[in-house]
């Protein structure tokens, strides 16, 4: 009796199924990575907008304190760090400029630079104050983050 090899069985498509599963898993991974990247980018952008708004609020509060000639409120906006050297006399002289401390309607930032390290965050911002009477005033400020709050280190008007 002669033995012949058994007839070849048709392929069941098992290899194709595994290829399709691999492609599906790869696409799913790609979609998840893109979604996480987009979410992370949104969080970063949102955090930057929040920080910028907080810095602008400190400048607005300083301008409001100057308009009211409230030295104590202005002093509270400055950082506690030893590098801050603003005196009560400096603030009184600055607040004497009534033209500078009119009511501020808004501000636009021209530039900002935020740096964070192990000791905290610092920021340099520059822009223009927009007064309710239509006038404008350029300014620049350096801020220091103490805890959760931004504090002034210096503010200059040109």
């Amino acid at each position: 009796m002669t033995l012949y090899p058994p007839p070849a069985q048709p392929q069941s498509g098992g290899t194709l199924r595994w290829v399709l599963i691999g492609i599906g898993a790869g696409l799913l991974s790609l979609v998840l990575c893109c979604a996480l990247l987009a979410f992370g980018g949104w969080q970063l952008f949102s955090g930057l907008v929040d920080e910028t708004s907080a810095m602008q609020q400190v400048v607005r509060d300083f301008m409001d304190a100057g308009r009211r000639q409230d030295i104590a409120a202005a002093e509270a906006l400055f950082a506690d760090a030893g590098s801050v050297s603003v005196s009560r006399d400096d603030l009184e002289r600055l607040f004497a400029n009534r033209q500078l401390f009119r009511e501020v309607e808004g501000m636009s930032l021209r530039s900002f630079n935020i740096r964070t390290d192990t000791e905290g965050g610092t920021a340099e911002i520059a822009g223009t104050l927009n007064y309710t009477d239509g006038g404008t005033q350029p300014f620049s400020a350096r801020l220091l983050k103490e805890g959760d709050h931004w504090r002034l280190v210096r503010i200059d008007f040109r």
Side-chain angles (χ1 to χ4, degrees):
M1 164 157 81
T2 318
L3 291 175
Y4 292 100
Q9 297 293 324
Q11 294 279 335
S12 66
T15 305
L16 180 60
R17 181 178 337 146
W18 285 111
V19 168
L20 290 176
I21 288 172
I23 290 172
L27 286 175
L28 181 62
S29 296
L30 182 64
V31 167
L32 286 174
C33 286
C34 289
L36 287 173
L37 188 64
F39 180 72
W42 173 252
Q43 291 288 58
L44 179 63
F45 176 75
S46 176
L48 188 59
V49 168
D50 291 344
E51 292 295 326
T52 304
S53 295
M55 288 182 256
Q56 287 178 316
Q57 188 60 50
V58 171
V59 173
R60 275 195 187 110
D61 291 346
F62 179 77
M63 296 305 292
D64 287 342
R67 189 169 41 82
R68 295 186 321 265
Q69 295 188 342
D70 188 346
I71 303 291
E75 287 175 328
L77 296 170
F78 279 86
D80 293 332
S83 62
V84 178
S85 60
V86 62
S87 71
R88 190 170 193 79
D89 290 338
D90 293 334
L91 291 173
E92 286 175 357
R93 276 192 298 280
L94 185 61
F95 290 172
N97 182 350
R98 301 315 305 150
Q99 186 64 17
L100 181 62
F101 290 97
R102 302 185 311 260
E103 188 171 353
V104 174
E105 181 176 47
M107 75 178 68
S108 58
L109 291 183
R110 181 178 69 251
S111 67
F112 64 94
N113 184 6
I114 301 174
R115 279 176 262 172
T116 306
D117 58 22
T118 57
E119 297 175 9
T122 59
E124 297 274 344
I125 62 173
T128 304
L129 297 168
N130 302 310
Y131 294 106
T132 56
D133 63 7
T136 61
Q137 175 66 49
F139 78 95
S140 65
R142 180 177 200 146
L143 298 104
L144 176 68
K145 191 154 192 180
E146 292 182 338
D148 292 336
H149 303 286
W150 286 101
R151 302 282 188 223
L152 287 170
V153 174
R154 68 164 174 74
I155 185 164
D156 297 312
F157 303 96
R158 294 177 216 136

